[in-house]
Amino acid sequence: MNDTQYNFGVVGLGVMGRNLLLNISDHNFSVAGLDLDPLKIDFLKAETTPGQPVFGTTSAEDFVRALSKPRAIMLLVPAGKAVDAVIKNLLPYLEAGDIVIDGGNSYFPDTDRRVAELAASKIHFFGMGISGGEKGARYGPSMMPGGDKAAYERLRPVFEAVAAKVNGEPCVTYLGNGSAGNYVKMVHNGIEYGIMQLISESYDLMKRGLSLTDDELQQTFEQWNQSEIQSYLVEITAEVLKKNDEVTGKKLVNMILDKAGQKGTGKWTSQNAMDLHVPIPTIDMAVSMRDISAYKAQRVQASKQLVHSPVNTNATDKQKVLDELKNALYFAMLTTYAQGMVQLGAASKAYNYNLTLQDVAKIWRGGCIIRAACLEDIRKAYENNGELANLLLDEKIGEELLKRQMATRSIIKLAIDEGIPMPALMSSLSYFDAYRSERLPTNIIQAQRDYFGAHTYERTDQEGVFHTEWD
Ligand code: 6PG
């Protein structure tokens, strides 16, 4: 134990925690790290140089005592019980005015509960989504903080120093009250699920529908990343498609089992959107497709029983299809961001987060997994109109969608004929078509509800609530 007082503390020295700690240290803050596993302390030591103001320990007491007051402690441990266990471990040594920041993907109601529990000891609990994976944590993540504003102001210099920068602006800003930070990160992940599904569908159509070779697939994503769909997820797809398997020498992607994992943030986004009555069909579909992917054995059986009858699709002009597909992917990406942003607007009202959607778009432009060139247009849309009900109504974004709707329809027709599932793309187009429909067939649903359950309906020509004796 030494007598140095450290500016900042990090609990959980797994890959994310260690990388973030080193990032903070690079920016001339002294940092103490806590992990119960002595091996993790050794890993940390191995990455620091003698004299670097970094201290690692397995003792919660030594860790807390090493921090200058009021203390700032960031937790980077798995969401759920581990967060409560760490808080319990630290609490005896903490004092009024200390700030505990949860940097994991915690479920937002848990954050609200922890804020209230720690407020009893006058300790600020702060939920902050961090995106960007290992590299982001080490060299500049996007950070989504929410909670007590005054507490944020104290942490601001550290966060702004370590965050990714776009045009010199840090990808971090105070987002709002309570669990706002975790909520925004949850929806970030929902959008992440949507875009990943859309990219995988595009890959499938190119591979099975157009019979593109592995190299052609790789080059296509690389070219796409030079265009308007430039984004981290398209970029890494091109990188993924380059990699050879060390065991077989084949492309590694072709050796990866088609069963997707998930830790819950996409599902929570969908569940909460339903609670708020916000339609986010692309994200819902992305969660469902991860679920369907898990039914591998049944899919293998069904592929033999439910054989697709080939249709002559005339998909011979590959370049034309590829251009349309790129446009369709962009169309669907924009509608996915639109759905997520509407959800954030609704959550902000429901939970009093007081979010500014322009700020959300701004800090998503760099560092995070869903960073994309189009986020600058999205930011501008909210800069022009902070009350924008839906990005689809922004003039520039609306134009981009209109330019691409025919290509999207054409790709969907091809996918249907080829029997290739593109449900996220279809959901994106259906969302667009439903949203731009002055009249939906919901009058039939209202009539049916009134028929079987006397649930009543409203009329188009008079105010009031009506019921009909239908038979
Ligand atoms: C990020 C990622 C990160 C994590 C996801 C993975 O923004 O850095 O979203 O948080 O990789 O939680 O989620 P799934 O395991 O559910 O795909």
Side-chain angles (χ1 to χ4, degrees), residues 127-179:
M128 179 166 80
I130 302 181
S131 179
E134 292 169 33
K135 273 204 182 144
R138 183 69 186 86
Y139 302 108
S142 171
M143 304 200 281
M144 295 153 239
D148 184 81
K149 182 90 194 315
Y152 174 76
E153 285 304 323
R154 272 168 43 205
L155 302 167
R156 193 148 75 106
V158 183
F159 292 164
E160 289 190 352
V162 301
K165 311 283 181 308
V166 172
N167 305 331
E169 292 176 308
C171 293
V172 60
T173 194
Y174 176 76
L175 290 176
N177 306 314
S179 53

Side-chain angles (χ1 to χ4, degrees), residues 13 34-45 56-58:
L13 301 178
L34 170 69
D35 201 294
L36 300 183
D37 178 359
L39 261 181
K40 302 267 175 64
I41 309 295
D42 292 343
F43 290 154
L44 176 66
K45 277 191 191 139
T57 175
T58 54

Side-chain angles (χ1 to χ4, degrees), residues 105 130-133 185 188-189 192-193 261-265 290 369:
N105 281 331
I130 302 181
S131 179
K185 178 61 177 21
H188 164 286
N189 282 26
E192 174 184 302
Y193 272 53
Q262 48 181 320
K263 290 195 222 50
T265 45
R290 289 202 191 188
I369 304 294

